[in-house]
Amino acid sequence: MEGGSSPAGLAEAAAAAPNPFVHQLRLSPLQKVKFYVLGAVLAPIRVALAFIVLFLIWPFALLQVVGLPEETLQEPFSGWRNTVSHGSVYLLSRLMFFLLGFMRIRVRGQRASRLEAPILVAAPHSTFFDPIILLPCDLPKVVSRTENLHVPVIGALLRFNQAILVSRHDPASRKKVVEEVKRRATSQGKWPQVLFFPEGTCSNKKALLKFKPGAFISGVPIQPVLIRYPNSLDSTTWAWRGPGVLKVIWLTASQLCTTVEVEFLPVYQPSAEEAVNPTLYANNVQKVMARALGIPATECEFVGNLPVTVVGSLRVALEPRIWELGKVLRKARCLTGGVKSQLDLLPVCPSGRLGLTELAHCLGLAGPEDAEGLLNYFQQDTDGSMDSREVALALEALEREYDPQDLTSRAFELFSETRTGTGDCRLHQDGFCAILRLLLGTPRADGAELYSRLCRDHSQDGLTLDEFQDFSLRHPDYARLFSTYLRLPMARALTKPGPPPTYANGIPAASLKSKAD
């Protein structure tokens, strides 16, 4: 059986790390009055003027690229176009942020030259206002999604910036991005610096998310850049759970003055080992930045649209997906008659497939449109159909009388296969990964790697029920996921109000409204 950290060690580390994906903004009665008054008067004027300036930036951004052949766009800009466009975009960008209330940008430390540090990495990334740090960094190049090229104004700014573009739909795109980052980073100062937000998504600034390795692949020296918003009220944070886009803009524009502090840390020179190991390089830089900020460095990250953390060698959803599914089902009033009545309607076999219409019928919904909110919880085929076994396991996990022994036995029964000749049942990789993805939110790659470790040299044979329950009920790292993470908090959540449940890493779950709700 695979070894791992002790539960006590994991719990101790978890206790020190707050949930980085939740931002709870509490306003006093006086602050509410202030924001209602200033929000009605100041915010609309500021936002309107800022949008006018944003559209004024457009022609100056276009000036730098219009009429130039494609081969010219693959090299750094120079000449009068670059001088006029760069200066104009810089000044107008500063004016736009000033109009939104960002009247002070404090700079600490010294920005390194492009020869000293071809790459800048900025953290914590907590808001869509963070691009303001492009100004003290003298408009470095950025990495952005290809889809943003089609957004008015933003697309022109990305072309002006000569941004490195990545497509989520092109498997070869990431390799091209890596090659382009290396090309620019090793150009000996020919290209301007490239700025990365290595966390890849926004957090609440109370902990650093796991750094993605993209900024560190080239193995060149980098300069860490810290971002702080030292204001009495944190109106800028835009986390997975918390105020939405419009509220963040309204609250920030309603403040008389918002201050941003940018600190350039000393250039980080990678060791020989870090230069060839981007993950190690990223982890060590994350720790340096976390220490400078005085906050924890965590293993939390976003996988797809799901925030995850690390338990043992598995990435698991920071909040069990089953909890969210239970909320959706209760909203749709699927659970009012109990779970058992729906289970009898499911064709639970490997070939059983459910479309939206069948799923709605099994759950007693009025029509397929009422079941659309459930699609994110189940793996879908190309035709949009779902595995009925996943639906059955999810419903049974929501049945409060199931204990871990029953739940794992039922999961094994649903996803195991009967061996020809011997008649005994074995759980293979696909079924093992499906169970972990559904119950824990674990990515398939993590599940497949753990499956290989558990099976050792008999992966073709699969896991027996005893072996599966050794992992799920008795393993020092993973047993608590099935014993407390899934069952006990869920029983409280589905029956009556009580203490808030606990995340997989030991963090109390706040009763907050998700942006997805």
Side-chain angles (χ1 to χ4, degrees), residues 305-336:
N305 62 350
L306 189 68
V308 301
T309 188
V310 175
V311 174
S313 63
L314 285 182
R315 288 176 290 178
V316 301
L318 197 63
E319 179 177 301
R321 303 194 76 196
I322 294 298
W323 296 359
E324 290 295 327
L325 178 60
K327 294 176 188 175
V328 174
L329 291 174
R330 285 198 308 277
K331 284 183 180 178
R333 296 180 179 151
C334 297
L335 299 181
T336 52

PDB file of all heavy atoms in Angstrom, residues 305-336:
ATOM      1  N   ASN A 305     -12.981  24.061 -13.682  1.00  0.00           N
ATOM      2  CA  ASN A 305     -13.706  25.115 -12.952  1.00  0.00           C
ATOM      3  C   ASN A 305     -13.886  24.740 -11.489  1.00  0.00           C
ATOM      4  O   ASN A 305     -14.800  25.208 -10.828  1.00  0.00           O
ATOM      5  CB  ASN A 305     -15.083  25.359 -13.605  1.00  0.00           C
ATOM      6  CG  ASN A 305     -15.970  24.119 -13.568  1.00  0.00           C
ATOM      7  OD1 ASN A 305     -15.498  23.037 -13.231  1.00  0.00           O
ATOM      8  ND2 ASN A 305     -17.222  24.279 -13.909  1.00  0.00           N
ATOM      9  N   LEU A 306     -12.971  23.880 -10.985  1.00  0.00           N
ATOM     10  CA  LEU A 306     -13.126  23.357  -9.636  1.00  0.00           C
ATOM     11  C   LEU A 306     -11.890  23.670  -8.799  1.00  0.00           C
ATOM     12  O   LEU A 306     -10.773  23.326  -9.188  1.00  0.00           O
ATOM     13  CB  LEU A 306     -13.330  21.837  -9.713  1.00  0.00           C
ATOM     14  CG  LEU A 306     -13.720  21.120  -8.434  1.00  0.00           C
ATOM     15  CD1 LEU A 306     -15.125  21.528  -8.006  1.00  0.00           C
ATOM     16  CD2 LEU A 306     -13.645  19.610  -8.646  1.00  0.00           C
ATOM     17  N   PRO A 307     -12.053  24.322  -7.642  1.00  0.00           N
ATOM     18  CA  PRO A 307     -10.910  24.537  -6.755  1.00  0.00           C
ATOM     19  C   PRO A 307     -10.555  23.246  -6.030  1.00  0.00           C
ATOM     20  O   PRO A 307     -11.423  22.580  -5.465  1.00  0.00           O
ATOM     21  CB  PRO A 307     -11.415  25.604  -5.770  1.00  0.00           C
ATOM     22  CG  PRO A 307     -12.898  25.478  -5.783  1.00  0.00           C
ATOM     23  CD  PRO A 307     -13.279  24.970  -7.140  1.00  0.00           C
ATOM     24  N   VAL A 308      -9.275  22.885  -6.067  1.00  0.00           N
ATOM     25  CA  VAL A 308      -8.838  21.641  -5.457  1.00  0.00           C
ATOM     26  C   VAL A 308      -7.669  21.902  -4.516  1.00  0.00           C
ATOM     27  O   VAL A 308      -7.001  22.930  -4.584  1.00  0.00           O
ATOM     28  CB  VAL A 308      -8.412  20.596  -6.517  1.00  0.00           C
ATOM     29  CG1 VAL A 308      -9.545  20.280  -7.467  1.00  0.00           C
ATOM     30  CG2 VAL A 308      -7.184  21.077  -7.298  1.00  0.00           C
ATOM     31  N   THR A 309      -7.442  20.952  -3.614  1.00  0.00           N
ATOM     32  CA  THR A 309      -6.272  20.965  -2.753  1.00  0.00           C
ATOM     33  C   THR A 309      -5.672  19.570  -2.796  1.00  0.00           C
ATOM     34  O   THR A 309      -6.173  18.682  -3.486  1.00  0.00           O
ATOM     35  CB  THR A 309      -6.643  21.373  -1.316  1.00  0.00           C
ATOM     36  OG1 THR A 309      -5.446  21.543  -0.551  1.00  0.00           O
ATOM     37  CG2 THR A 309      -7.536  20.342  -0.653  1.00  0.00           C
ATOM     38  N   VAL A 310      -4.586  19.370  -2.069  1.00  0.00           N
ATOM     39  CA  VAL A 310      -3.869  18.099  -2.130  1.00  0.00           C
ATOM     40  C   VAL A 310      -4.005  17.358  -0.806  1.00  0.00           C
ATOM     41  O   VAL A 310      -3.774  17.932   0.262  1.00  0.00           O
ATOM     42  CB  VAL A 310      -2.378  18.318  -2.454  1.00  0.00           C
ATOM     43  CG1 VAL A 310      -1.608  16.996  -2.398  1.00  0.00           C
ATOM     44  CG2 VAL A 310      -2.230  18.948  -3.839  1.00  0.00           C
ATOM     45  N   VAL A 311      -4.402  16.105  -0.878  1.00  0.00           N
ATOM     46  CA  VAL A 311      -4.419  15.207   0.273  1.00  0.00           C
ATOM     47  C   VAL A 311      -3.616  13.979  -0.136  1.00  0.00           C
ATOM     48  O   VAL A 311      -3.992  13.283  -1.077  1.00  0.00           O
ATOM     49  CB  VAL A 311      -5.858  14.819   0.677  1.00  0.00           C
ATOM     50  CG1 VAL A 311      -5.828  13.768   1.779  1.00  0.00           C
ATOM     51  CG2 VAL A 311      -6.633  16.045   1.124  1.00  0.00           C
ATOM     52  N   GLY A 312      -2.511  13.706   0.556  1.00  0.00           N
ATOM     53  CA  GLY A 312      -1.619  12.642   0.121  1.00  0.00           C
ATOM     54  C   GLY A 312      -1.058  12.979  -1.247  1.00  0.00           C
ATOM     55  O   GLY A 312      -0.437  14.021  -1.438  1.00  0.00           O
ATOM     56  N   SER A 313      -1.312  12.123  -2.225  1.00  0.00           N
ATOM     57  CA  SER A 313      -0.871  12.392  -3.595  1.00  0.00           C
ATOM     58  C   SER A 313      -2.056  12.686  -4.511  1.00  0.00           C
ATOM     59  O   SER A 313      -1.895  12.712  -5.730  1.00  0.00           O
ATOM     60  CB  SER A 313      -0.084  11.195  -4.139  1.00  0.00           C
ATOM     61  OG  SER A 313      -0.907  10.044  -4.212  1.00  0.00           O
ATOM     62  N   LEU A 314      -3.230  12.913  -3.913  1.00  0.00           N
ATOM     63  CA  LEU A 314      -4.436  13.179  -4.702  1.00  0.00           C
ATOM     64  C   LEU A 314      -4.821  14.641  -4.620  1.00  0.00           C
ATOM     65  O   LEU A 314      -4.771  15.250  -3.550  1.00  0.00           O
ATOM     66  CB  LEU A 314      -5.622  12.353  -4.186  1.00  0.00           C
ATOM     67  CG  LEU A 314      -5.690  10.867  -4.492  1.00  0.00           C
ATOM     68  CD1 LEU A 314      -6.975  10.290  -3.930  1.00  0.00           C
ATOM     69  CD2 LEU A 314      -5.604  10.611  -5.991  1.00  0.00           C
ATOM     70  N   ARG A 315      -5.232  15.179  -5.742  1.00  0.00           N
ATOM     71  CA  ARG A 315      -5.926  16.461  -5.723  1.00  0.00           C
ATOM     72  C   ARG A 315      -7.413  16.182  -5.532  1.00  0.00           C
ATOM     73  O   ARG A 315      -7.989  15.384  -6.263  1.00  0.00           O
ATOM     74  CB  ARG A 315      -5.686  17.227  -7.020  1.00  0.00           C
ATOM     75  CG  ARG A 315      -4.277  17.789  -7.150  1.00  0.00           C
ATOM     76  CD  ARG A 315      -4.051  18.462  -8.487  1.00  0.00           C
ATOM     77  NE  ARG A 315      -4.006  17.485  -9.572  1.00  0.00           N
ATOM     78  CZ  ARG A 315      -3.861  17.809 -10.863  1.00  0.00           C
ATOM     79  NH1 ARG A 315      -3.749  19.079 -11.213  1.00  0.00           N
ATOM     80  NH2 ARG A 315      -3.833  16.866 -11.787  1.00  0.00           N
ATOM     81  N   VAL A 316      -8.000  16.829  -4.531  1.00  0.00           N
ATOM     82  CA  VAL A 316      -9.422  16.627  -4.259  1.00  0.00           C
ATOM     83  C   VAL A 316     -10.098  17.984  -4.199  1.00  0.00           C
ATOM     84  O   VAL A 316      -9.463  19.002  -3.901  1.00  0.00           O
ATOM     85  CB  VAL A 316      -9.657  15.861  -2.933  1.00  0.00           C
ATOM     86  CG1 VAL A 316      -8.980  14.510  -2.969  1.00  0.00           C
ATOM     87  CG2 VAL A 316      -9.171  16.665  -1.742  1.00  0.00           C
ATOM     88  N   ALA A 317     -11.387  18.003  -4.500  1.00  0.00           N
ATOM     89  CA  ALA A 317     -12.136  19.256  -4.466  1.00  0.00           C
ATOM     90  C   ALA A 317     -12.056  19.866  -3.073  1.00  0.00           C
ATOM     91  O   ALA A 317     -12.176  19.167  -2.069  1.00  0.00           O
ATOM     92  CB  ALA A 317     -13.590  19.006  -4.846  1.00  0.00           C
ATOM     93  N   LEU A 318     -11.834  21.173  -3.017  1.00  0.00           N
ATOM     94  CA  LEU A 318     -11.727  21.842  -1.725  1.00  0.00           C
ATOM     95  C   LEU A 318     -13.023  21.696  -0.946  1.00  0.00           C
ATOM     96  O   LEU A 318     -13.031  21.642   0.275  1.00  0.00           O
ATOM     97  CB  LEU A 318     -11.396  23.325  -1.941  1.00  0.00           C
ATOM     98  CG  LEU A 318     -10.868  24.071  -0.719  1.00  0.00           C
ATOM     99  CD1 LEU A 318      -9.543  23.489  -0.261  1.00  0.00           C
ATOM    100  CD2 LEU A 318     -10.705  25.553  -1.020  1.00  0.00           C
ATOM    101  N   GLU A 319     -14.129  21.634  -1.663  1.00  0.00           N
ATOM    102  CA  GLU A 319     -15.429  21.365  -1.057  1.00  0.00           C
ATOM    103  C   GLU A 319     -16.055  20.211  -1.831  1.00  0.00           C
ATOM    104  O   GLU A 319     -16.091  20.243  -3.058  1.00  0.00           O
ATOM    105  CB  GLU A 319     -16.327  22.601  -1.142  1.00  0.00           C
ATOM    106  CG  GLU A 319     -17.699  22.411  -0.551  1.00  0.00           C
ATOM    107  CD  GLU A 319     -18.514  23.699  -0.598  1.00  0.00           C
ATOM    108  OE1 GLU A 319     -18.071  24.697  -0.020  1.00  0.00           O
ATOM    109  OE2 GLU A 319     -19.578  23.690  -1.247  1.00  0.00           O
ATOM    110  N   PRO A 320     -16.511  19.162  -1.155  1.00  0.00           N
ATOM    111  CA  PRO A 320     -17.026  17.988  -1.877  1.00  0.00           C
ATOM    112  C   PRO A 320     -18.086  18.358  -2.907  1.00  0.00           C
ATOM    113  O   PRO A 320     -19.013  19.113  -2.623  1.00  0.00           O
ATOM    114  CB  PRO A 320     -17.635  17.125  -0.756  1.00  0.00           C
ATOM    115  CG  PRO A 320     -16.887  17.528   0.459  1.00  0.00           C
ATOM    116  CD  PRO A 320     -16.596  18.987   0.300  1.00  0.00           C
ATOM    117  N   ARG A 321     -17.943  17.826  -4.096  1.00  0.00           N
ATOM    118  CA  ARG A 321     -18.904  18.115  -5.158  1.00  0.00           C
ATOM    119  C   ARG A 321     -20.293  17.598  -4.790  1.00  0.00           C
ATOM    120  O   ARG A 321     -21.300  18.117  -5.249  1.00  0.00           O
ATOM    121  CB  ARG A 321     -18.437  17.481  -6.465  1.00  0.00           C
ATOM    122  CG  ARG A 321     -17.056  17.934  -6.904  1.00  0.00           C
ATOM    123  CD  ARG A 321     -16.784  17.572  -8.335  1.00  0.00           C
ATOM    124  NE  ARG A 321     -17.482  18.458  -9.224  1.00  0.00           N
ATOM    125  CZ  ARG A 321     -17.687  18.194 -10.524  1.00  0.00           C
ATOM    126  NH1 ARG A 321     -17.273  17.068 -11.037  1.00  0.00           N
ATOM    127  NH2 ARG A 321     -18.333  19.055 -11.283  1.00  0.00           N
ATOM    128  N   ILE A 322     -20.314  16.544  -3.969  1.00  0.00           N
ATOM    129  CA  ILE A 322     -21.593  15.983  -3.548  1.00  0.00           C
ATOM    130  C   ILE A 322     -22.401  17.017  -2.780  1.00  0.00           C
ATOM    131  O   ILE A 322     -23.632  17.079  -2.893  1.00  0.00           O
ATOM    132  CB  ILE A 322     -21.362  14.723  -2.701  1.00  0.00           C
ATOM    133  CG1 ILE A 322     -20.738  13.614  -3.566  1.00  0.00           C
ATOM    134  CG2 ILE A 322     -22.659  14.230  -2.089  1.00  0.00           C
ATOM    135  CD1 ILE A 322     -21.620  13.177  -4.716  1.00  0.00           C
ATOM    136  N   TRP A 323     -21.722  17.855  -1.986  1.00  0.00           N
ATOM    137  CA  TRP A 323     -22.448  18.894  -1.251  1.00  0.00           C
ATOM    138  C   TRP A 323     -23.146  19.837  -2.221  1.00  0.00           C
ATOM    139  O   TRP A 323     -24.313  20.179  -2.045  1.00  0.00           O
ATOM    140  CB  TRP A 323     -21.487  19.707  -0.383  1.00  0.00           C
ATOM    141  CG  TRP A 323     -20.826  18.934   0.705  1.00  0.00           C
ATOM    142  CD1 TRP A 323     -20.992  17.607   1.015  1.00  0.00           C
ATOM    143  CD2 TRP A 323     -19.874  19.445   1.632  1.00  0.00           C
ATOM    144  NE1 TRP A 323     -20.193  17.265   2.067  1.00  0.00           N
ATOM    145  CE2 TRP A 323     -19.499  18.361   2.475  1.00  0.00           C
ATOM    146  CE3 TRP A 323     -19.298  20.694   1.837  1.00  0.00           C
ATOM    147  CZ2 TRP A 323     -18.567  18.521   3.496  1.00  0.00           C
ATOM    148  CZ3 TRP A 323     -18.371  20.851   2.861  1.00  0.00           C
ATOM    149  CH2 TRP A 323     -18.016  19.779   3.680  1.00  0.00           C
ATOM    150  N   GLU A 324     -22.397  20.254  -3.241  1.00  0.00           N
ATOM    151  CA  GLU A 324     -22.980  21.169  -4.223  1.00  0.00           C
ATOM    152  C   GLU A 324     -24.125  20.496  -4.979  1.00  0.00           C
ATOM    153  O   GLU A 324     -25.150  21.116  -5.260  1.00  0.00           O
ATOM    154  CB  GLU A 324     -21.902  21.636  -5.204  1.00  0.00           C
ATOM    155  CG  GLU A 324     -20.865  22.567  -4.610  1.00  0.00           C
ATOM    156  CD  GLU A 324     -21.469  23.891  -4.177  1.00  0.00           C
ATOM    157  OE1 GLU A 324     -22.427  24.353  -4.825  1.00  0.00           O
ATOM    158  OE2 GLU A 324     -20.990  24.465  -3.185  1.00  0.00           O
ATOM    159  N   LEU A 325     -23.933  19.221  -5.315  1.00  0.00           N
ATOM    160  CA  LEU A 325     -24.995  18.496  -6.010  1.00  0.00           C
ATOM    161  C   LEU A 325     -26.237  18.423  -5.137  1.00  0.00           C
ATOM    162  O   LEU A 325     -27.362  18.573  -5.617  1.00  0.00           O
ATOM    163  CB  LEU A 325     -24.510  17.091  -6.374  1.00  0.00           C
ATOM    164  CG  LEU A 325     -25.534  16.186  -7.063  1.00  0.00           C
ATOM    165  CD1 LEU A 325     -25.999  16.802  -8.377  1.00  0.00           C
ATOM    166  CD2 LEU A 325     -24.949  14.799  -7.298  1.00  0.00           C
ATOM    167  N   GLY A 326     -26.046  18.191  -3.831  1.00  0.00           N
ATOM    168  CA  GLY A 326     -27.189  18.147  -2.916  1.00  0.00           C
ATOM    169  C   GLY A 326     -27.953  19.455  -2.906  1.00  0.00           C
ATOM    170  O   GLY A 326     -29.192  19.468  -2.878  1.00  0.00           O
ATOM    171  N   LYS A 327     -27.212  20.582  -2.945  1.00  0.00           N
ATOM    172  CA  LYS A 327     -27.872  21.890  -2.975  1.00  0.00           C
ATOM    173  C   LYS A 327     -28.701  22.059  -4.247  1.00  0.00           C
ATOM    174  O   LYS A 327     -29.837  22.535  -4.211  1.00  0.00           O
ATOM    175  CB  LYS A 327     -26.827  23.004  -2.898  1.00  0.00           C
ATOM    176  CG  LYS A 327     -26.059  23.064  -1.595  1.00  0.00           C
ATOM    177  CD  LYS A 327     -24.976  24.143  -1.687  1.00  0.00           C
ATOM    178  CE  LYS A 327     -24.052  24.114  -0.476  1.00  0.00           C
ATOM    179  NZ  LYS A 327     -22.936  25.064  -0.619  1.00  0.00           N
ATOM    180  N   VAL A 328     -28.120  21.646  -5.374  1.00  0.00           N
ATOM    181  CA  VAL A 328     -28.827  21.776  -6.651  1.00  0.00           C
ATOM    182  C   VAL A 328     -30.084  20.912  -6.655  1.00  0.00           C
ATOM    183  O   VAL A 328     -31.155  21.338  -7.100  1.00  0.00           O
ATOM    184  CB  VAL A 328     -27.896  21.389  -7.823  1.00  0.00           C
ATOM    185  CG1 VAL A 328     -28.672  21.369  -9.137  1.00  0.00           C
ATOM    186  CG2 VAL A 328     -26.734  22.365  -7.928  1.00  0.00           C
ATOM    187  N   LEU A 329     -29.955  19.686  -6.147  1.00  0.00           N
ATOM    188  CA  LEU A 329     -31.108  18.785  -6.127  1.00  0.00           C
ATOM    189  C   LEU A 329     -32.201  19.301  -5.199  1.00  0.00           C
ATOM    190  O   LEU A 329     -33.393  19.178  -5.494  1.00  0.00           O
ATOM    191  CB  LEU A 329     -30.670  17.384  -5.696  1.00  0.00           C
ATOM    192  CG  LEU A 329     -29.798  16.622  -6.708  1.00  0.00           C
ATOM    193  CD1 LEU A 329     -29.322  15.312  -6.111  1.00  0.00           C
ATOM    194  CD2 LEU A 329     -30.555  16.370  -8.004  1.00  0.00           C
ATOM    195  N   ARG A 330     -31.799  19.870  -4.074  1.00  0.00           N
ATOM    196  CA  ARG A 330     -32.809  20.412  -3.160  1.00  0.00           C
ATOM    197  C   ARG A 330     -33.518  21.611  -3.788  1.00  0.00           C
ATOM    198  O   ARG A 330     -34.720  21.785  -3.634  1.00  0.00           O
ATOM    199  CB  ARG A 330     -32.172  20.815  -1.826  1.00  0.00           C
ATOM    200  CG  ARG A 330     -31.819  19.629  -0.941  1.00  0.00           C
ATOM    201  CD  ARG A 330     -31.613  20.068   0.506  1.00  0.00           C
ATOM    202  NE  ARG A 330     -30.684  21.172   0.613  1.00  0.00           N
ATOM    203  CZ  ARG A 330     -29.349  21.038   0.626  1.00  0.00           C
ATOM    204  NH1 ARG A 330     -28.831  19.830   0.515  1.00  0.00           N
ATOM    205  NH2 ARG A 330     -28.569  22.085   0.745  1.00  0.00           N
ATOM    206  N   LYS A 331     -32.753  22.434  -4.496  1.00  0.00           N
ATOM    207  CA  LYS A 331     -33.382  23.573  -5.176  1.00  0.00           C
ATOM    208  C   LYS A 331     -34.389  23.101  -6.214  1.00  0.00           C
ATOM    209  O   LYS A 331     -35.420  23.729  -6.430  1.00  0.00           O
ATOM    210  CB  LYS A 331     -32.305  24.441  -5.845  1.00  0.00           C
ATOM    211  CG  LYS A 331     -31.535  25.319  -4.879  1.00  0.00           C
ATOM    212  CD  LYS A 331     -30.547  26.185  -5.648  1.00  0.00           C
ATOM    213  CE  LYS A 331     -29.769  27.081  -4.692  1.00  0.00           C
ATOM    214  NZ  LYS A 331     -28.776  27.900  -5.403  1.00  0.00           N
ATOM    215  N   ALA A 332     -34.023  21.997  -6.887  1.00  0.00           N
ATOM    216  CA  ALA A 332     -34.933  21.441  -7.894  1.00  0.00           C
ATOM    217  C   ALA A 332     -36.011  20.572  -7.259  1.00  0.00           C
ATOM    218  O   ALA A 332     -36.838  20.003  -7.958  1.00  0.00           O
ATOM    219  CB  ALA A 332     -34.137  20.632  -8.915  1.00  0.00           C
ATOM    220  N   ARG A 333     -35.963  20.454  -5.917  1.00  0.00           N
ATOM    221  CA  ARG A 333     -36.951  19.676  -5.151  1.00  0.00           C
ATOM    222  C   ARG A 333     -36.948  18.210  -5.565  1.00  0.00           C
ATOM    223  O   ARG A 333     -37.994  17.565  -5.635  1.00  0.00           O
ATOM    224  CB  ARG A 333     -38.344  20.275  -5.336  1.00  0.00           C
ATOM    225  CG  ARG A 333     -38.411  21.686  -4.760  1.00  0.00           C
ATOM    226  CD  ARG A 333     -39.758  22.285  -4.929  1.00  0.00           C
ATOM    227  NE  ARG A 333     -39.777  23.636  -4.343  1.00  0.00           N
ATOM    228  CZ  ARG A 333     -40.553  24.612  -4.768  1.00  0.00           C
ATOM    229  NH1 ARG A 333     -41.376  24.409  -5.758  1.00  0.00           N
ATOM    230  NH2 ARG A 333     -40.524  25.792  -4.189  1.00  0.00           N
ATOM    231  N   CYS A 334     -35.737  17.697  -5.836  1.00  0.00           N
ATOM    232  CA  CYS A 334     -35.641  16.281  -6.210  1.00  0.00           C
ATOM    233  C   CYS A 334     -35.609  15.375  -4.998  1.00  0.00           C
ATOM    234  O   CYS A 334     -35.888  14.187  -5.114  1.00  0.00           O
ATOM    235  CB  CYS A 334     -34.366  16.031  -7.021  1.00  0.00           C
ATOM    236  SG  CYS A 334     -34.325  16.901  -8.576  1.00  0.00           S
ATOM    237  N   LEU A 335     -35.188  15.898  -3.850  1.00  0.00           N
ATOM    238  CA  LEU A 335     -34.969  15.039  -2.698  1.00  0.00           C
ATOM    239  C   LEU A 335     -36.116  15.070  -1.703  1.00  0.00           C
ATOM    240  O   LEU A 335     -36.023  14.487  -0.642  1.00  0.00           O
ATOM    241  CB  LEU A 335     -33.663  15.442  -1.990  1.00  0.00           C
ATOM    242  CG  LEU A 335     -32.389  15.315  -2.838  1.00  0.00           C
ATOM    243  CD1 LEU A 335     -31.176  15.717  -2.023  1.00  0.00           C
ATOM    244  CD2 LEU A 335     -32.221  13.898  -3.347  1.00  0.00           C
ATOM    245  N   THR A 336     -37.189  15.755  -2.023  1.00  0.00           N
ATOM    246  CA  THR A 336     -38.286  15.865  -1.055  1.00  0.00           C
ATOM    247  C   THR A 336     -38.937  14.523  -0.785  1.00  0.00           C
ATOM    248  O   THR A 336     -39.451  14.279   0.297  1.00  0.00           O
ATOM    249  CB  THR A 336     -39.343  16.849  -1.574  1.00  0.00           C
ATOM    250  OG1 THR A 336     -39.718  16.458  -2.900  1.00  0.00           O
ATOM    251  CG2 THR A 336     -38.788  18.262  -1.629  1.00  0.00           C
TER     252      THR A 336
END
